[in-house]
Structures are given as structure tokens and as C-alpha cells.
Amino acid sequence: MKYIIGLVLFLSIFSCNINNPSYPELHTPNNFPQKWELVQMSFPSENKQQKGLKMAWQESYLLLPDSTFLKKRMTATETITAEGKFYTEKQNDDLYIHFEFNEKSKTLDSSSFTEKERLLFSTEEDKMTLISMQNGKKQILDYQLK
């Protein structure tokens, strides 16, 4: 009987650990809205890094409770906005946030936004990172939760 009680206790503790992931759930009503702002740009091939107002543009994502987003990019001459849906995906213990732009947003200049973006979410640093290629060169954009 002690063996059965011990086994039930062990299994209940073990099953609780499986149901509690190591990262906080992103899609809970208490977590929204969220505003993520671009804080740093890195260009490894050029050994170049820009921060704050010294960046070529300012950019933000506004994530809403219904899994929609608004992306805004401001340059010295214009402000570009786009919207769409986002969802999360866990892959190899990493959490990614996928952004898919609405049809009307796809008419944007391809050098400004891509049709789909996937950002790596880091719970330890409360940041998201987008790694992409621009004109054949790698760029790393870091966003911070504001």
C-alpha cells in the first residue's frame, strides 16, 4: 500500500512539472497589450552596431490580446505601418514569435518589411531578436519590452 501511495505521489509531482513549461505563457490576457521597441541594430559583416537615436530607423511592435499586431517604422522622412496576426512556437527549447502581415500590408516596400517575420523570444533578457539578410548582409535587430 505504501508503494502505491508513493507511486501516485511521485506521478502527480512529475506530471505537474510537465504541465508547467520553463517559460511564462505569452498568450494570457494579463500580458497584453505589449509594446516591443527596437533598441539595437547589429551588422556583423561590417562590425557595426547602432543604438537608440543613432539607428537608421525607430521601430516597434504592438501585440494585442486577440493575437494581432501593429508594426511601426519611423525614418527621418516617413512613417510606415503594417498589421497582421502573430503566434508563438516552441522549437528546441526556444520560443519564437511569428508575425504574418495582412494582405494590404504586403504592398509595402520589400526593403521595409518582409511578408513573414520570426523573432526569437528570450525570457531571461526580456528581449526579442530578428536575424535577417538585407542586401546580402546579415542584420540583427534587438527589441526590448517597454
Side-chain angles (χ1 to χ4, degrees):
M1 186 67 162
K2 289 180 185 181
Y3 174 74
I4 293 173
I5 292 172
L7 182 61
V8 169
L9 182 60
F10 173 77
L11 290 175
S12 64
I13 291 171
F14 182 70
S15 65
C16 289
N17 290 339
I18 290 173
N19 293 329
N20 292 330
S22 60
Y23 61 91
E25 287 298 322
L26 185 64
H27 285 89
T28 61
N30 296 335
N31 289 340
F32 290 98
Q34 291 183 2
K35 185 174 184 182
W36 293 85
E37 291 183 0
L38 181 64
V39 293
Q40 179 175 288
M41 305 169 127
S42 301
F43 307 92
S45 61
E46 301 173 20
N47 199 23
K48 185 172 150 185
Q49 188 175 41
Q50 298 174 344
K51 291 182 178 184
L53 296 176
K54 295 182 180 180
M55 295 184 296
W57 66 83
Q58 302 297 309
E59 187 169 272
S60 66
Y61 287 90
L62 179 62
L63 307 183
L64 300 171
D66 62 354
S67 296
T68 60
F69 72 91
L70 175 65
K71 182 174 181 179
K72 186 178 192 181
R73 180 178 288 179
M74 296 168 287
T75 67
T77 58
E78 66 181 337
T79 298
I80 305 167
T81 60
E83 56 190 29
K85 291 270 214 192
F86 74 93
Y87 61 94
T88 58
E89 173 188 44
K90 190 170 183 184
Q91 188 177 57
N92 299 329
D93 292 328
D94 291 325
L95 182 64
Y96 290 91
I97 302 176
H98 292 261
F99 295 92
E100 292 183 357
F101 294 92
N102 290 344
E103 281 295 320
K104 63 182 177 181
S105 296
K106 292 180 184 177
T107 59
L108 296 170
D109 178 9
S110 62
S111 65
S112 298
F113 300 141
T114 60
E115 186 176 317
K116 292 182 180 182
E117 294 179 344
R118 183 174 98 149
L119 282 72
L120 177 63
F121 179 71
S122 170
T123 56
E124 294 173 4
E125 301 174 36
D126 277 335
K127 75 174 190 175
M128 291 194 304
T129 302
L130 173 65
I131 300 174
S132 65
M133 297 297 285
Q134 186 74 14
N135 298 325
K137 296 179 182 176
K138 183 178 180 180
Q139 66 179 11
I140 303 169
L141 305 178
D142 291 322
Y143 298 83
Q144 196 79 41
L145 183 61
K146 297 294 178 172

